[in-house]
Amino acid sequence: MSGTQLTLTVSGGNAADAQTVVRALESVFGPADEFPGDDDGHSTVHTAAFTVGTETLTPGQPKREQLSAPVMVTVQGTPAAVRCADATLTGTFTAHDRGSASGDQEQEHQLLLEP
């Protein structure tokens, strides 16, 4: 396994919404290294991280999930991991592309997920 990571930031919604997004990605990346916990209702940003191996990534089988509110999701990691996360999230939720940025070794992509 490689030591690279896919990081996920979820803003908007609540901890349960962030957990729903993370569970959708666990079908591809396995258990999250960091998982958003329950909060007192005051947190506005939740994060999670996945260790990404060198194997070929295949998007998870979409199972439609429901969120309680719109959330903005940012995924950051290797280009292959980000593409796979994007495909999984857009197959699981109603998603709108909000832009991306690319570097030498990493990509970042934002999606707006709607209930």
Side-chain angles (χ1 to χ4, degrees), residues 36-81:
D38 292 325
D39 63 22
D40 58 6
H42 295 30
S43 295
T44 58
V45 177
H46 301 276
T47 61
F50 297 89
T51 298
V52 179
T54 57
E55 69 277 358
T56 302
L57 296 170
T58 305
Q61 294 296 328
K63 175 186 171 238
R64 298 304 285 177
E65 294 285 349
Q66 193 67 25
L67 301 168
S68 69
V71 297
M72 183 68 70
V73 174
T74 303
V75 290
Q76 182 179 12
T78 65

Side-chain angles (χ1 to χ4, degrees), residues 5-111:
Q5 285 199 326
L6 176 77
T7 57
L8 172 75
T9 305
V10 181
S11 57
N14 55 35
D17 290 324
Q19 292 165 357
T20 299
V21 173
V22 170
R23 280 192 300 276
L25 293 176
E26 286 182 329
S27 66
V28 176
F29 297 102
D33 301 332
E34 298 174 27
F35 193 81
D38 292 325
D39 63 22
D40 58 6
H42 295 30
S43 295
T44 58
V45 177
H46 301 276
T47 61
F50 297 89
T51 298
V52 179
T54 57
E55 69 277 358
T56 302
L57 296 170
T58 305
Q61 294 296 328
K63 175 186 171 238
R64 298 304 285 177
E65 294 285 349
Q66 193 67 25
L67 301 168
S68 69
V71 297
M72 183 68 70
V73 174
T74 303
V75 290
Q76 182 179 12
T78 65
V82 170
R83 280 191 304 272
C84 188
D86 286 348
T88 300
L89 293 173
T90 57
T92 305
F93 302 97
T94 300
H96 304 281
D97 185 342
R98 291 297 186 240
S100 61
S102 296
D104 289 344
Q105 303 294 318
E106 285 191 337
Q107 280 189 332
E108 180 178 291
H109 193 217
Q110 281 193 326
L111 295 168

